[in-house]
Amino acid sequence: MATNEELKARRSRAKAMVLRKSSAGSAVPAVMFAIVIGVLVASTLFLHFDHIWWFPPAITPVGHQIDHQFLLTFIVTGIVFVLAQLTLAWMVFRYRDQGHKAHFVRGSHVLEVAWTTITLVIFVSLGVMAAHAWGEVHFGGPAPGALQVEVTGVQFQWNFRYPGPDGKFGRIVPADIDASVGNPLGLDPNDPEGKLNIVTPSLYLPVNRPIVLMIRSQDVIHSFFVRELRIKQDAVPGLVIPVHFTVNKIGTYEITCNQLCGLGHYHMHAFLHVLSQADFAQWEKKQWASLSTQ
Ligand code: CUA
């Protein structure tokens, strides 16, 4: 039961709320603001549903998994976005200046806890669901018969190294690194295993064969990124970071560097050429043939 004093206090608060100011403000700012929010929501929805700025189709099975996960996250956060913005528009309109005296609202602990918990549950579940696709690229382990290619970032270009016909990579000696004499990776000239290692500024991969890229850096942190692979992996000096995938579409795709790695960062890019298995075998043979005559 409320005491008399409490009832009195409530009555006077209620009275204060309906007390009108001498002049009610114009409704125009509130209406305009609500309309702007409405237009913003509508144009955002249009841009996304129409896929005006969308990424190119994925070319790996994992890429499709990532797209699926992305879409799920997008739908969930999209619904929250639309609801929140429309509520904001409605609130701005509903509680516009109608001449009422403003009054203090203390907020609600129940509501605070509720929406924090809901947000936490949504984000943690999305994260757990996405872990599978991410784990497959990074921890899946190379399939037997996978093609290993070493990817090395250096200010400001990418170099790719393939093993010789024996499947072996030769030793690397940092003191031998010298792009001006055609040895950008520092292959040890005395190591027979490195003799037929192919080093190219473009990445050639066979279609439908498991690939392992071993990503390295010679100087600062770079980032290997191919949109169509849906793979973005930092190249960190001192580490060899493997990523696994299988490409299922022949074509040419751009490889970019995605870490601001210095003044030439903007032009640090290369191309990924996905070839049929026969074309790839032929390319490899040709490279080995020219290396063995050197
Ligand atoms: Cu390398 Cu940016």
Side-chain angles (χ1 to χ4, degrees):
M1 278 296 280
T3 61
N4 264 350
E5 282 75 39
E6 275 175 319
L7 284 173
K8 238 189 224 168
R10 270 190 212 169
R11 234 175 275 133
S12 76
R13 274 205 299 273
K15 226 166 145 189
M17 273 169 65
V18 293
L19 252 183
R20 294 200 157 244
K21 283 192 293 183
S22 49
S23 63
S26 162
V28 174
V31 173
M32 292 296 288
F33 191 62
I35 289 175
V36 167
I37 293 174
V39 169
L40 195 83
V41 170
S43 43
T44 305
L45 286 178
F46 171 73
L47 287 176
H48 285 100
F49 276 113
D50 215 55
H51 284 195
I52 287 183
W53 290 296
W54 208 248
F55 19 70
I59 56 168
T60 65
V62 165
H64 291 291
Q65 272 186 54
I66 290 172
D67 283 5
H68 175 78
Q69 186 64 34
F70 179 87
L71 201 66
L72 192 67
T73 305
F74 223 54
I75 290 169
V76 171
T77 51
I79 291 171
V80 174
F81 168 78
V82 170
L83 287 180
Q85 294 304 308
L86 293 183
T87 307
L88 175 64
W90 181 77
M91 290 284 195
V92 166
F93 175 75
R94 172 72 182 76
Y95 297 101
R96 67 192 183 277
D97 186 358
Q98 289 172 315
H100 290 146
K101 229 176 180 178
H103 66 107
F104 179 70
V105 179
R106 197 166 281 284
S108 159
H109 285 305
V110 178
L111 279 180
E112 293 272 0
V113 171
W115 63 54
T116 307
T117 310
I118 292 170
T119 310
L120 188 76
V121 168
I122 290 175
F123 277 89
V124 170
S125 335
L126 286 173
V128 168
M129 288 160 82
H132 178 72
W134 188 81
E136 195 162 305
V137 171
H138 294 271
F139 301 118
L147 170 71
Q148 286 193 32
V149 184
E150 186 191 72
V151 177
T152 305
V154 60
Q155 287 172 323
F156 295 99
Q157 75 163 66
W158 294 105
N159 287 305
F160 306 94
R161 178 160 71 123
Y162 298 75
D166 55 359
K168 291 189 172 139
F169 287 95
R171 204 172 26 243
I172 273 177
V173 180
D176 285 336
I177 294 173
D178 191 351
S180 66
V181 297
N183 193 4
L185 296 178
L187 287 179
D188 181 355
N190 302 316
D191 184 357
E193 286 183 352
K195 197 101 188 102
L196 294 183
N197 284 182
I198 303 163
V199 178
T200 69
S202 293
L203 179 57
Y204 292 86
L205 294 178
V207 74
N208 295 330
R209 181 170 161 197
I211 308 288
V212 185
L213 297 184
M214 295 174 299
I215 299 176
R216 305 168 58 236
S217 168
Q218 270 177 0
D219 40 36
V220 299
I221 299 176
H222 302 275
S223 178
F224 175 89
F225 178 46
V226 178
R227 297 178 305 166
E228 291 84 352
L229 293 178
R230 305 287 192 267
I231 287 176
K232 187 188 280 180
Q233 174 58 55
D234 274 7
V236 182
L239 295 181
V240 178
I241 303 174
V243 296
H244 318 277
F245 56 86
T246 303
V247 184
N248 52 25
K249 198 161 179 281
I250 291 173
T252 296
Y253 312 96
E254 193 182 21
I255 301 165
T256 59
C257 174
N258 252 263
Q259 284 285 2
L260 190 54
C261 54
L263 282 178
H265 161 71
Y266 72 96
H267 67 72
M268 180 166 171
H269 76 142
F271 286 96
L272 158 63
H273 303 283
V274 178
L275 310 175
S276 71
Q277 299 205 1
D279 285 351
F280 179 78
Q282 210 175 8
W283 172 82
E284 235 178 359
K285 251 189 220 139
K286 222 168 99 189
Q287 300 294 316
W288 286 328
S290 79
L291 283 169
S292 58
T293 55
Q294 271 173 21

